[in-house]
Amino acid sequence: MKQTIDELPLNKELADVLHQLGIKDTNPAYSTGLAWGGQDGRTTRSVTSPADGSTIATVNMASAEDYDKVVTTAQEAFKIWRKMPAPKRGEIVRQIGDKLREHKEALGKLVSYEMGKIYQEGLGEVQEMIDICDFAVGLSRQLHGFTMHSERPQHRMYEQYHPLGIVGVISAFNFPVAVWSWNAMLAAVCGDVIIWKPSEKTPLTGVACQHIIREVLAENELPEGIFNLIVGDAEIGSLMSHDKRVPLVSATGSTRMGKKVGEAVGARLGKSLLELGGNNAIILTESADMEMALRAIVFGAVGTCGQRCTSTRRLIIHENIYEQVKERLLKVYPNLPIGHPLDSTTLVGPLIDKDAVAAFTNALDKVQQEGGTLLTGGEVLSGEGYETGTYVKPAIVEAQNHYEMVQEETFAPILYLIKYSGDVENAIEIQNGVRQGLSSAIFSTNLLETEAFLGHWGSDCGIANVNIGTSGAEIGGAFGGEKETGGGRESGSDAWKVYMRRQTNTINYGRELPLAQGIKFNIMD
């Protein structure tokens, strides 16, 4: 059925949004780096909305020469930025947060239209940027080290942190601005400068954020090269990964991509922060609060059309409540409102493109060949309102954890139902029995079960939740996972330390030179 768009006609609403965000034309051409004017002879890419197939804009793709220019500009800006006191850097980030507040609705609509997530999720993504700005402002006065007692008389020891230099950020299409901001705002208050390569599928939201930041930098008479944006393909990501001038590369995306980045950065002994694939599970024990669990399951499985790294992929259900849970889900799924992401009635928007649709249908074919049973969904929608071929019905499949397709992350709305028997340790073993280790959850009102899940023999994921779902992390906690998820941590807690170099300092305020460990080395005798 066709979905209607609220309020303004979409073309006028989109034109207004682009204008508000400094993108003056409905079909502009942009170059890379710091200048946004069109240039002749460049490779271009059309930015197409998965919502209705419209071309929003055309961007010029960066060359190797463009990349080198941006790096040089960033290096010069670092010389100025690193000398500014951290609280003053925090003040700049505070102003960026305020500008994002002013443009929240417009940015949320652009995120929604360019990526395909529903408008409420688009607004939530912009709010994440605002929240991390607030967090970073407070952090700018807390970049603390430690003091230690020296074994040598009249000596003082302490450690401190210094900025690294250039931080490269490679972000993915599913969170086109939020994950960049987790890295960029923390790195900025730490004294680093940032080069951001957004996904070539969703570059316009990056362009919009760059415009907002450039305005703040100009108002404060600071160089534009503190925050840099470069629109390019995998070649630009490869250049950044191999570049010794970029001491840290933070990359979000598939495990396959992350391995390439990690190998390249590791080969030059640089630092990498990898946030890669997830294969997230919710455990439902016999004592689970069913109403609360169902809300978390459905949002986790179909939110962002299953294109979150924290999306719920597996539901591990105790055999005594398995049929009840299955029956409830089979009542909910056929009635999910699927349609244009800017329609206020929509809960499930489109997949990002037809390649994602093909991955969705292929995964369903393969898991059924392995013995899985498709219970509902799986269709690619067509007809009025669905002409793009990017809208699908979220699927539920009965499966076994060891199936090849269950072991893989399919970036689409597929929920695998897996039955377990016995005690919660059996469910935890199933939960941990995949290569990825990002997010996990348990629904139980039994303290013994929840503590077992959180114990050192419990969930092996970087995120472990009790009575909430796998999706929807707050910025105050460190975000990331283990195993093939990459081991990186972004956002809150002490994740800021990865953006700085650690230094131990020892000060001798006496007139003797005692050596550590009591070593005698009397060259003056």
Side-chain angles (χ1 to χ4, degrees), residues 86 91 103 131 144 217 235 242 258 266 286 417 437 448 499 512:
E91 167 60 18
H103 296 288
D131 290 346
H144 53 76
L217 295 176
E235 178 192 2
H242 287 87
E286 287 184 272
L417 305 189
L448 300 181
Y499 306 100
E512 302 294 332

Side-chain angles (χ1 to χ4, degrees), residues 115 117 172-176 179 201 252-255 275-280 300-313 350-361 363 390 392 405 408-416 436 438:
M115 184 268 151
K117 62 178 62 176
F173 75 86
N174 60 328
F175 279 86
V179 175
K201 296 180 180 181
T252 303
S254 67
T255 297
E275 200 282 284
L276 311 175
N279 197 343
N280 316 295
V302 308
T304 322
C305 203
Q307 297 171 113
R308 291 183 174 217
C309 50
T310 55
S311 291
T312 304
R313 312 285 178 200
L351 289 168
I352 185 66
D353 54 27
K354 289 185 178 179
D355 288 342
V357 174
F360 172 74
T361 57
T390 53
V392 301
M405 289 313 301
E408 295 183 10
E409 178 192 42
T410 302
F411 228 50
I414 302 174
L415 179 64
Y416 297 113
Q436 308 85 354
L438 179 52

Side-chain angles (χ1 to χ4, degrees), residues 109-430:
K109 285 178 181 176
L110 184 55
V111 167
S112 180
Y113 191 61
E114 185 179 31
M115 184 268 151
K117 62 178 62 176
I118 64 173
Y119 180 46
Q120 282 300 310
E121 291 189 80
L123 290 174
E125 179 158 356
V126 180
Q127 187 62 48
E128 281 196 65
M129 292 199 288
I130 295 167
D131 290 346
I132 200 65
C133 285
D134 289 349
F135 180 90
V137 172
L139 178 66
S140 69
R141 295 180 182 270
Q142 301 178 66
L143 301 173
H144 53 76
F146 295 95
T147 59
M148 293 80 70
H149 289 280
S150 174
E151 68 182 63
R152 289 169 283 185
Q154 296 183 297
H155 282 60
R156 181 165 67 89
M157 292 179 64
Y158 70 96
E159 65 180 24
Q160 60 180 329
Y161 290 82
H162 299 290
L164 288 170
I166 297 175
V167 171
V169 179
I170 301 172
S171 63
F173 75 86
N174 60 328
F175 279 86
V177 290
V179 175
W180 157 77
S181 71
W182 293 356
N183 288 273
M185 299 310 154
L186 296 194
V189 297
C190 289
D192 299 314
V193 295
I194 299 92
I195 298 177
W196 176 21
K197 191 198 93 62
S199 169
E200 57 268 35
K201 296 180 180 181
T202 53
L204 283 187
T205 44
V207 172
C209 288
Q210 185 75 1
H211 280 313
I212 290 169
I213 289 174
R214 289 177 71 195
E215 185 177 341
V216 173
L217 295 176
E219 289 171 354
N220 289 273
E221 298 182 344
L222 288 168
E224 293 179 340
I226 296 168
F227 291 89
N228 303 275
L229 176 73
I230 185 162
V231 179
D233 55 20
E235 178 192 2
I236 298 301
S238 179
L239 288 171
M240 187 182 293
S241 299
H242 287 87
D243 194 341
K244 292 181 179 180
R245 297 171 297 179
V246 183
L248 170 66
V249 176
S250 175
T252 303
S254 67
T255 297
R256 177 183 58 81
M257 179 276 290
K259 286 181 177 180
K260 291 181 179 179
V261 172
E263 289 173 3
V265 177
R268 60 179 174 86
L269 299 181
K271 298 172 67 175
S272 58
L273 192 167
L274 303 176
E275 200 282 284
L276 311 175
N279 197 343
N280 316 295
I282 294 177
I283 296 172
L284 290 186
T285 74
E286 287 184 272
S287 71
D289 182 319
M290 192 62 62
E291 299 306 316
M292 191 162 59
L294 284 168
R295 290 175 179 271
I297 293 162
V298 176
F299 175 71
V302 308
T304 322
C305 203
Q307 297 171 113
R308 291 183 174 217
C309 50
T310 55
S311 291
T312 304
R313 312 285 178 200
R314 297 173 296 142
L315 189 58
I316 304 167
I317 313 165
H318 193 277
E319 60 183 354
N320 291 345
I321 60 170
Y322 183 86
E323 292 300 325
Q324 176 189 357
V325 173
K326 181 171 75 172
E327 181 181 349
R328 292 290 300 274
L329 289 171
L330 290 179
K331 287 181 179 178
V332 172
Y333 262 58
N335 299 313
L336 290 169
I338 303 168
H340 198 289
L342 290 178
D343 191 307
S344 63
T345 64
T346 296
L347 291 182
V348 182
L351 289 168
I352 185 66
D353 54 27
K354 289 185 178 179
D355 288 342
V357 174
F360 172 74
T361 57
N362 290 340
L364 291 174
D365 289 342
K366 289 180 181 178
V367 76
Q368 290 179 85
Q369 292 169 14
E370 292 184 85
T373 301
L374 176 63
L375 300 177
T376 188
E379 301 94 337
V380 180
L381 298 176
S382 60
E384 189 176 9
Y386 303 123
E387 293 88 350
T388 60
T390 53
Y391 291 90
V392 301
K393 284 192 174 182
I396 298 176
V397 178
E398 286 186 310
Q400 299 292 322
N401 200 59
H402 66 269
Y403 289 172
E404 181 181 351
M405 289 313 301
V406 178
Q407 289 286 312
E408 295 183 10
E409 178 192 42
T410 302
F411 228 50
I414 302 174
L415 179 64
Y416 297 113
L417 305 189
I418 301 168
K419 186 185 298 183
Y420 84 94
S421 58
D423 57 28
V424 73
E425 280 77 11
N426 294 331
I428 294 170
E429 185 177 356
I430 295 171

